[in-house]
Amino acid sequence: MLHNRRDWQAVAYLVALPVLVAWQWRYGWHPFAYAVTLFLTLGIGVIHHHHTHRRMWRGRRLNRLTDLWLTLLQGHPTFVFYPAHVANHHRYRHGPRDVARTYRFGGDSNHLWGYLAHPFQAVWVLYPLFLGWLSRLRRHHPGAWRYCLLQYALVTALWAGLAWLDWRQWLLLVLIPQLHGLHWLLATNYLQHAHADGRSRLDYARNFEGWVNPLLFNIGLHTAHHEHPRVHWSELPALHRSYRARLHPALNAGPLVPYMFRTFIASVVVPRWRSRSLMRHEET
């Protein structure tokens, strides 16, 4: 049923997250289970991303059910990836027409405040894209428009039902983890593109290696993904090796966590670790 058997890892994440939430709802909050829950919200965002580019299942019905399941787990409709990511980010590759380009908001930066603020800045400019997309769907594809509204309705019904059962449990076990996952989904754009060159043929994205890739479906290999958006995520490591030597050395950033510590925290006291823009001219 799956196009690629490696996607059983994604299926495992899609099942494990609600099981962990249900277990804690029944037996009480547990620090290890909650930490895994928060990690799985990152995985759900990556699965959503990959499922948008390349559908997981051979059958349309299973793909539609996966859309709805991701909607419930993520706390936000899955349709938003088309106008925000495919039609915008992949089309313009962090260039001047990419509405969520990191250097749009207060100049070309790569620091802790920029990372924390970027999800809120991105939502502000992306939601008009969502609304415009829905408006065009309503005029030209009313069936697809109703399908998108169904996703909103499912999230609203889930939140209302769980909050009615126990609003404290809903807040702790459902809403906060979902917001955590959505933050990372949006903030990843900053990690992968801040101080990259949005006008370059290849130096528009940063790449991460290490454990982030086997755990999160090779999400760190961003240049290879941009250059081959329809390729299955399991093929990205081989493609990444073909691009690695052609990129500016600063864009091969190594493991994700050390990069974040070095760039966002340690650079405050160690100037040589501060990120430097590859853009020739900043844009505000």
Side-chain angles (χ1 to χ4, degrees):
M1 293 184 292
L2 288 168
H3 282 294
N4 190 301
R5 62 185 179 84
R6 291 287 301 277
D7 281 324
W8 284 115
Q9 180 183 351
V11 173
Y13 283 31
L14 293 172
V15 173
L17 178 58
V19 167
L20 274 176
V21 171
W23 185 87
Q24 291 176 93
W25 191 291
R26 174 67 177 82
Y27 296 105
W29 180 86
H30 188 279
F32 177 75
Y34 198 71
V36 176
T37 298
L38 293 178
F39 166 76
L40 288 173
T41 64
L42 309 185
I44 296 303
V46 178
I47 293 166
H48 177 192
H49 168 268
H50 290 335
H51 183 62
T52 299
H53 282 284
R54 184 185 173 99
R55 309 299 270 173
M56 287 173 55
W57 304 95
R58 297 183 185 276
R60 182 181 181 186
R61 180 173 297 180
L62 282 174
N63 284 319
R64 286 291 183 90
L65 288 173
T66 300
D67 285 342
L68 299 179
W69 191 241
L70 284 166
T71 292
L72 292 173
L73 294 182
Q74 193 168 247
H76 201 281
T78 57
F79 82 85
V80 299
F81 247 99
Y82 289 100
H85 187 71
V86 177
N88 170 61
H89 183 60
H90 268 263
R91 183 178 183 182
Y92 300 120
R93 299 185 179 190
H94 195 53
R97 297 179 67 186
D98 185 339
V99 300
R101 59 196 181 276
T102 62
Y103 52 93
R104 177 179 184 176
F105 308 104
D108 191 11
S109 69
N110 189 15
H111 46 56
L112 181 60
W113 170 245
Y115 164 75
L116 294 174
H118 184 73
F120 303 97
Q121 296 165 336
V123 165
W124 183 257
V125 297
L126 288 175
Y127 241 90
L129 288 185
F130 305 157
L131 297 177
W133 175 275
L134 286 173
S135 178
R136 290 189 294 274
L137 282 182
R138 186 178 185 181
R139 292 195 303 270
H140 303 295
H141 304 283
W145 175 73
R146 288 192 293 270
Y147 180 63
C148 294
L149 293 190
L150 172 63
Q151 295 177 9
Y152 275 115
L154 288 175
V155 170
T156 303
L158 177 69
W159 283 359
L162 293 179
W164 179 78
L165 288 173
D166 189 328
W167 70 267
R168 293 179 181 85
Q169 293 274 59
W170 166 71
L171 182 65
L172 176 65
L173 299 176
V174 178
L175 185 61
I176 291 176
Q178 286 179 337
L179 292 176
H180 172 262
L182 289 171
H183 166 85
W184 276 88
L185 186 65
L186 292 166
T188 296
N189 184 63
Y190 194 86
L191 294 172
Q192 292 172 328
H193 294 283
H195 273 178
D197 186 352
R199 298 179 178 85
S200 169
R201 173 62 188 85
L202 279 180
D203 286 339
Y204 53 79
R206 181 174 290 104
N207 297 276
F208 300 102
E209 297 168 339
W211 280 101
V212 66
N213 291 312
L215 291 175
L216 292 175
F217 312 95
N218 293 325
I219 192 62
L221 310 180
H222 203 51
T223 301
H225 166 65
H226 263 283
E227 295 298 311
H228 306 272
R230 294 285 296 167
V231 162
H232 190 265
W233 59 267
S234 62
E235 301 176 48
L236 292 177
L239 290 168
H240 171 66
R241 289 191 290 272
S242 71
Y243 289 106
R244 198 179 192 282
R246 300 163 58 188
L247 303 175
H248 189 284
L251 298 178
N252 293 315
L256 174 62
V257 174
Y259 164 82
M260 294 181 69
F261 175 79
R262 182 174 66 248
T263 304
F264 297 153
I265 299 175
S267 64
V268 175
V269 294
V270 184
R272 66 186 179 88
W273 285 346
R274 291 174 188 166
S275 178
R276 292 170 174 78
S277 177
L278 300 183
M279 298 278 285
R280 294 184 177 181
H281 302 285
E282 294 187 4
E283 178 179 327
T284 60

